[in-house]
Amino acid sequence: MLQDTYDLHVYGTFSLDKERLQQIQERRSELKFLPANKSEPTPEFMGLELDVLQAIYLCRSLKENFKIVALPTPIRYWVPQISEEEAFEIAKIEHLRVIQNDPELQLGPLTDKVFGRSYQMYGVAYGFNCANIKAQLAGYVPGTWWVHVDMVDGTVWTDNQLDARKLICYLARGDS
């Protein structure tokens, strides 16, 4: 994921008209990465092609200076190749596999409520969850089990992939 080319996935109301672009570049000349016009593939992307460090820097600068919240997202996620329905079918297969391999988890039914593009932490995978009774009995709140299905290739994300995505998002947001 680190070797990917990144764009910025913007959350909330966003516009980059000519006047605002000029204002941003006057205040912060190092933000030369910004496009001259916002003709992105989807409304929430800026239409950039940056390396991960440039993308993280630009996300932090936009947040700190202009209250624009964005996350670095590999450009291959401009247009998802997997629908929510297809992702849910993949998630159901993974849910069944986990139940069969680890019945002690006591997983409830998988919800078809999708946490897709608007799910800020990831922005690259559909997320589905269910109750994890074992975790709830142990006092964990909310006590859920999650499965994330990649929006482009339909693979189920591993914990390592999720952790890498969380780290990139954490650095980009500048959380303390």
Side-chain angles (χ1 to χ4, degrees):
M1 188 180 283
L2 291 178
Q3 299 303 318
D4 287 327
T5 301
Y6 285 78
D7 194 356
L8 300 190
H9 188 192
V10 181
Y11 295 91
T13 304
F14 169 73
S15 69
L16 196 58
D17 59 27
K18 194 171 186 172
E19 185 177 312
R20 188 159 191 207
L21 174 65
Q22 186 176 2
Q23 175 192 30
I24 289 172
Q25 289 179 331
E26 284 173 4
R27 285 183 56 190
R28 300 296 300 261
S29 61
E30 72 274 18
L31 300 183
K32 63 183 182 286
F33 308 120
L34 293 172
N37 60 25
K38 188 176 175 288
S39 57
E40 70 291 329
T42 61
E44 63 269 7
F45 284 103
M46 294 184 81
L48 305 173
E49 295 186 23
L50 309 169
D51 67 41
V52 69
L53 294 178
Q54 290 171 322
I56 288 171
Y57 174 78
L58 187 53
C59 285
R60 290 183 72 139
S61 293
L62 290 173
K63 181 182 176 190
E64 291 169 13
N65 295 292
F66 304 99
K67 308 298 184 238
I68 296 172
V69 178
L71 293 176
T73 302
I75 63 172
R76 70 177 181 267
Y77 292 97
W78 276 344
V79 180
Q81 302 298 308
I82 303 294
S83 70
E84 291 178 13
E85 294 79 17
E86 291 169 315
F88 185 58
E89 293 303 314
I90 294 166
K92 287 193 303 190
I93 292 167
E94 179 66 7
H95 179 252
L96 182 59
R97 186 192 68 76
V98 170
I99 287 173
Q100 291 172 344
N101 289 344
D102 193 356
E104 289 183 22
L105 282 179
Q106 302 174 34
L107 298 181
L110 193 64
T111 177
D112 62 355
K113 181 177 179 187
V114 67
F115 298 89
R117 281 196 151 347
S118 63
Y119 189 39
Q120 271 197 16
M121 181 60 71
Y122 307 111
V124 295
Y126 299 108
F128 303 93
N129 67 8
C130 67
N132 180 335
I133 307 304
K134 181 179 178 181
Q136 291 174 359
L137 292 173
Y140 290 96
V141 176
T144 55
W145 176 86
W146 283 87
V147 59
H148 294 88
V149 178
D150 191 281
M151 291 178 169
V152 171
D153 64 19
T155 59
V156 174
W157 277 46
T158 66
D159 288 342
N160 286 343
Q161 289 170 310
L162 289 169
D163 288 345
R165 181 67 181 150
K166 286 179 188 178
L167 179 59
I168 288 171
C169 294
Y170 173 85
L171 293 170
R173 287 192 315 254
D175 297 336
S176 48

